Amino acid sequence: MNKLKLRLQLEQYFLEDIGDRDLTSELIFGEGQIGKVIFLAKDNGIFCGEEIVRSGFKVLNPAAEVNIKVRDGEWIEKGQILAEASGPVSDLLKGERVILNLVQRMSGIATKTNEAVRVLDSSHTKICDTRKTTPGLRMLEKYAVRAGGGFNHRYGLYDAVMIKDNHISFAGSIAKAVEEVRSKIGHMVKVEVETETKEQVLEAVEAGADVIMFDNRSPEEIKQWIRSVPNGIVTEASGGITLDNLQAYSGTGVDFISLGFLTHSVKSLDISVKVIVE
C-alpha cells in the first residue's frame, strides 16, 4: 500500500468528519488528558487495516503510541484485542470512528475474499476483484482483497485495455477494436476481450488478445470454449458467479474468476473501539 497516498487520503477522511474541530471532545477534555483505547473483535474473520490504525492516529498526533497485535491477513477470533492506541483523549476520539469504519470494511472484504478462495478450493484458478469498488476507497479495498488471499484485476481504466461489449458494438467487431488498440499501445500493456459466444472467443483468439473473459457463461460452456483458447492466452470467468455456484467453476480450467461482490456488497466485519480507564 502506498503510505504517502494513504496519509493524504486519511487527511481527507478526517477533514470530512472533523471539519474545524471535534466540538464535543474539545469541550469536555483538556489537551493534556491522556487516554488509551483498544480495538476489539466482535466476530471471527480475517483482519485487515494495521496501517490504517498505525498511520491514522499519527496523522492526528505524531506522538500517539500505537501497538498493533495482529497482522493483515491473520484470522481473528471474537473477543480478541487487535490493537491499542494511547495519546491525548481528544485526538483518540477524533480519529477512532474514521479509523474503525475503514478497518471494519477492509476486514470484511478480506474475510469474504478468504471465504471465496476456500469455497473455490482450486490449486489453479485464482480469485480476483473488479472495478466495482467504493469511490475514494479503491486502493484500500483492493489491498484488502490481497490480504484475504485474492488477486487484483486492473486498478482503473488507465492500466490495462479491456474491450467490453459496448466497445465492440461501437468499433464494429472484436478484430477492429483489437487492431485499433494494438496500433497505438506499447508492448507492456495487456489487452483483454470480453466474450459472450464461442464465435467471439474464436475471433478474440485470432485477433491476438492477451486475456479472454467468458462473460456470464456457465461452467459447462466455459469447459467447451476454453479448448479453443491457446495456452498462452490467460482466461477469466466473470458475471453471475456467487458463493453458491462458485465451486462449480473450479474444474473449468479458467485462470481467474473475478467477483464484484468482494467489494460492492460486502458486510463489514464487526469490530469495536473500547476505552481503557487506568
Side-chain angles (χ1 to χ4, degrees), residues 131 154 156-158 160-181 191-196 200 203 213:
R131 282 171 52 238
R154 60 176 177 166
L157 297 174
Y158 53 86
V161 172
M162 187 171 175
I163 301 173
K164 299 171 70 68
D165 53 353
N166 289 336
H167 298 109
I168 296 168
S169 296
F170 278 122
S173 69
I174 289 174
K176 289 181 180 178
V178 174
E179 183 180 2
E180 276 298 310
V181 167
V191 177
E192 178 170 11
V193 176
E194 179 183 278
T195 63
E196 297 178 333
Q200 286 186 329
E203 187 178 0
M213 176 202 288

Side-chain angles (χ1 to χ4, degrees), residues 34-38 84 86 275-278:
I34 303 299
K36 180 179 180 181
V37 297
I38 62 170
E84 300 174 347
S86 301
V275 170
I276 301 298
V277 179
E278 299 176 335

Side-chain angles (χ1 to χ4, degrees), residues 27-224:
L27 290 175
I28 298 175
F29 305 106
E31 291 185 5
Q33 188 166 345
I34 303 299
K36 180 179 180 181
V37 297
I38 62 170
F39 286 72
L40 187 70
K42 298 180 70 176
D43 203 354
N44 302 335
I46 299 292
F47 175 76
C48 184
E50 58 178 294
E51 194 57 43
I52 300 297
V53 181
R54 183 180 293 109
S55 296
F57 286 112
K58 288 186 176 295
V59 165
L60 295 172
N61 190 326
E65 296 182 6
V66 180
N67 180 19
I68 309 295
K69 294 184 175 295
V70 293
R71 304 299 302 273
D72 290 340
E74 287 186 4
W75 181 263
I76 58 175
E77 301 281 347
K78 182 178 180 179
Q80 184 175 350
I81 296 176
L82 310 176
E84 300 174 347
S86 301
V89 171
S90 58
D91 290 331
L92 295 177
L93 295 178
K94 284 177 185 176
E96 58 96 5
R97 174 48 57 186
V98 168
I99 294 170
L100 180 61
N101 286 347
L102 292 172
V103 171
Q104 287 187 116
R105 178 156 185 81
M106 292 171 69
S107 296
I109 291 170
T111 299
K112 183 62 68 174
T113 303
N114 180 260
E115 183 181 3
V117 171
R118 288 186 286 107
V119 169
L120 181 64
D121 190 27
S122 173
S123 60
H124 173 75
T125 305
K126 297 178 176 63
I127 295 294
C128 67
D129 53 29
T130 70
R131 282 171 52 238
K132 296 176 181 178
T133 56
T134 309
L137 295 180
R138 181 168 295 178
M139 179 182 74
L140 305 184
E141 292 183 345
K142 281 184 169 285
Y143 174 81
V145 168
R146 299 198 303 275
F151 292 78
N152 295 143
H153 205 282
R154 60 176 177 166
Y155 267 73
L157 297 174
Y158 53 86
D159 60 339
V161 172
M162 187 171 175
I163 301 173
K164 299 171 70 68
D165 53 353
N166 289 336
H167 298 109
I168 296 168
S169 296
F170 278 122
S173 69
I174 289 174
K176 289 181 180 178
V178 174
E179 183 180 2
E180 276 298 310
V181 167
R182 291 293 187 198
S183 69
K184 298 170 183 175
I185 61 169
H187 66 291
M188 297 297 289
V189 181
K190 297 287 187 179
V191 177
E192 178 170 11
V193 176
E194 179 183 278
T195 63
E196 297 178 333
T197 66
K198 185 173 182 180
E199 289 70 30
Q200 286 186 329
V201 171
L202 296 174
E203 187 178 0
V205 170
E206 182 65 26
D210 299 300
V211 185
I212 292 178
M213 176 202 288
F214 305 108
D215 185 40
N216 282 289
R217 297 302 99 195
S218 69
E220 291 71 26
E221 288 174 312
I222 293 175
K223 286 179 184 178
Q224 292 294 323

